[in-house]
Amino acid sequence: MGSGVQQHQATPLTQGEVLPLPSDSQAEGLKPQTRSVVNSLLSGALAGALAKTAVAPLDRTKIIFQVSSARFSAKEAYRLIYRTYLKDGFLSLWRGNSATMVRVIPYAAIQFCAHEQYKRLLGGYFGYQGKALPPVPRLLAGSMAGTTAAMLTYPLDMVRARMAVTPKEMYSNIIHVFVRISREEGLKTLYRGFTPTILGVVPYAGLSFFTYETLKKMHAERSGRPQPYSYERLVFGACAGLLGQSASYPLDVVRRRMQTAGVTGHTYGTILGTMRDIVAEEGVVRGLYKGLSMNWVKGPIAVGISFTTFDMTQILLKKLYQLRYNNR
């Protein structure tokens, strides 16, 4: 997630503006639009990798609580992390992170790139080409970007969830997860939980991108600076992550329960059925919002790092291109 805006001049666009369509005459090396896509993919991949690695121990702990009926508390979460460290060592806190990277790198790359392209397309459609998008298209661009990325990378999310909640003896590596799930539970299992994932991604990605873009736009208007400082980007990203994840959290719990049903002994068939079972067994708050307080810690950190890394990498790649171009 993020909104680093592409541009083909040395001076950055005003925050929130939409990339203009390139003219046919613009071409040296990569065409500007192709270069924009490549830069977005690279920046998004790096942003996703750094953000998820930074919060991997907290993310793994959250998933373990989400898929169990154990009561969540900050003290119990700390105890789980500490017991895991004592039993399996420090690096075990990042178990499943390789699967996370296999999913997150393409997911983040696709999402950030798609967001930039949807902003450009919606700007042209609504007559705001080269200008900041109004609120509704801004929200729509984020939701569409998240949906596109989720649809293309979902099986990797399933694999990552399985590796996070199982002992390392059960699945030796990512390929092993795919093979065992396909052989023992069927290929359809790789898409179990897909519907709640999409339903959750729409508000999550939409609100996250919308909030971040809006805060940067307001900052540019009030400060007179087209680009915020790095620490300001982190704060804007943290706010975006807090709102986005809070809005979609119950569906995240449902998604995790459905994804891990094959190894937890439960049978979850539908979204509403899963919600009913969770509420009946654990209650609304303790069930559907289990681990949300941990998400309020890790979510803003991860999203803040992700947005900031994307923007700063975009700026760096743009400067490197300009430096190379000027030295010709």
Side-chain angles (χ1 to χ4, degrees), residues 47-59 94 97 101 298 301-302 305:
L50 287 179
K52 279 297 184 179
T53 299
V55 298
L58 294 177
D59 207 25
W94 275 266
N97 196 50
M101 291 300 101
K298 82 169 192 64
I301 294 172
I305 292 173

Side-chain angles (χ1 to χ4, degrees), residues 33 58 69-70 86 94 151 212 254 268 272 284 303 319 323:
Q33 186 56 35
L58 294 177
S69 57
L86 291 178
W94 275 266
M151 290 176 66
Y212 188 65
V254 170
Y268 297 118
L272 291 178
V284 175
V303 179
K319 288 181 177 179
L323 183 62

Side-chain angles (χ1 to χ4, degrees), residues 28 30 39 97 142 155 164 178 208 224 244 251 265 285 295 321:
E28 183 164 287
L30 286 176
N39 286 354
N97 196 50
F178 275 110
S208 296
L251 286 166
V285 175
N295 240 37
Y321 173 79

Side-chain angles (χ1 to χ4, degrees), residues 99 102 159 163 171-182:
V102 171
V159 169
M163 290 191 73
Y171 297 119
S172 57
N173 54 51
I174 298 169
I175 302 299
H176 189 207
V177 183
F178 275 110
V179 172
R180 281 197 61 175
I181 290 176
S182 301

Side-chain angles (χ1 to χ4, degrees), residues 105-143:
I105 288 175
Y107 179 91
I110 292 169
Q111 182 175 236
F112 279 113
C113 182
H115 182 245
E116 295 302 315
Q117 299 310 307
Y118 284 135
K119 283 199 303 180
R120 185 176 64 87
L121 292 172
L122 289 171
Y125 181 80
F126 288 102
Y128 285 88
Q129 198 67 53
K131 301 177 183 177
L133 286 174
V136 173
R138 198 182 309 153
L139 183 67
L140 186 59
S143 295

Side-chain angles (χ1 to χ4, degrees), residues 76-122:
E76 287 302 314
Y78 169 75
R79 285 176 177 171
L80 176 59
I81 293 173
Y82 187 62
R83 284 198 302 268
T84 302
Y85 163 70
L86 291 178
K87 180 182 178 182
D88 300 316
F90 180 70
L91 291 181
S92 67
L93 297 174
W94 275 266
R95 172 165 168 74
N97 196 50
S98 59
T100 300
M101 291 300 101
V102 171
R103 168 192 168 264
V104 162
I105 288 175
Y107 179 91
I110 292 169
Q111 182 175 236
F112 279 113
C113 182
H115 182 245
E116 295 302 315
Q117 299 310 307
Y118 284 135
K119 283 199 303 180
R120 185 176 64 87
L121 292 172
L122 289 171

Side-chain angles (χ1 to χ4, degrees), residues 27-244:
E28 183 164 287
L30 286 176
K31 290 183 179 180
Q33 186 56 35
T34 303
R35 187 170 64 250
S36 170
V37 170
V38 172
N39 286 354
S40 294
L41 289 171
L42 292 174
S43 301
L46 180 61
L50 287 179
K52 279 297 184 179
T53 299
V55 298
L58 294 177
D59 207 25
R60 181 176 183 271
T61 303
K62 182 203 71 172
I63 293 174
I64 291 172
F65 274 101
Q66 280 184 326
V67 302
S68 72
S69 57
R71 183 174 177 179
F72 175 84
S73 69
K75 182 182 290 187
E76 287 302 314
Y78 169 75
R79 285 176 177 171
L80 176 59
I81 293 173
Y82 187 62
R83 284 198 302 268
T84 302
Y85 163 70
L86 291 178
K87 180 182 178 182
D88 300 316
F90 180 70
L91 291 181
S92 67
L93 297 174
W94 275 266
R95 172 165 168 74
N97 196 50
S98 59
T100 300
M101 291 300 101
V102 171
R103 168 192 168 264
V104 162
I105 288 175
Y107 179 91
I110 292 169
Q111 182 175 236
F112 279 113
C113 182
H115 182 245
E116 295 302 315
Q117 299 310 307
Y118 284 135
K119 283 199 303 180
R120 185 176 64 87
L121 292 172
L122 289 171
Y125 181 80
F126 288 102
Y128 285 88
Q129 198 67 53
K131 301 177 183 177
L133 286 174
V136 173
R138 198 182 309 153
L139 183 67
L140 186 59
S143 295
M144 292 168 64
T147 301
T148 300
M151 290 176 66
L152 294 175
T153 62
Y154 185 77
L156 295 170
D157 188 45
M158 157 68 84
V159 169
R160 173 251 185 157
R162 284 293 181 94
M163 290 191 73
V165 301
T166 55
K168 58 186 177 182
E169 295 79 15
M170 186 168 184
Y171 297 119
S172 57
N173 54 51
I174 298 169
I175 302 299
H176 189 207
V177 183
F178 275 110
V179 172
R180 281 197 61 175
I181 290 176
S182 301
R183 183 188 304 142
E184 298 173 8
E185 302 174 54
L187 288 173
K188 287 178 62 177
T189 303
L190 292 172
Y191 280 88
R192 182 183 291 160
F194 178 73
T195 302
T197 296
I198 296 300
L199 293 177
V201 159
V202 170
Y204 170 70
L207 282 173
S208 296
F209 277 113
F210 174 82
T211 303
Y212 188 65
E213 291 273 312
T214 300
L215 289 174
K216 290 202 296 182
K217 181 175 180 293
M218 292 172 60
H219 172 272
E221 292 173 348
R222 298 189 180 187
S223 70
R225 286 186 284 116
Q227 297 289 345
Y229 298 127
S230 297
Y231 71 87
E232 292 171 328
R233 295 179 196 274
L234 283 169
V235 172
F236 298 160
C239 293
L242 191 63
L243 288 176

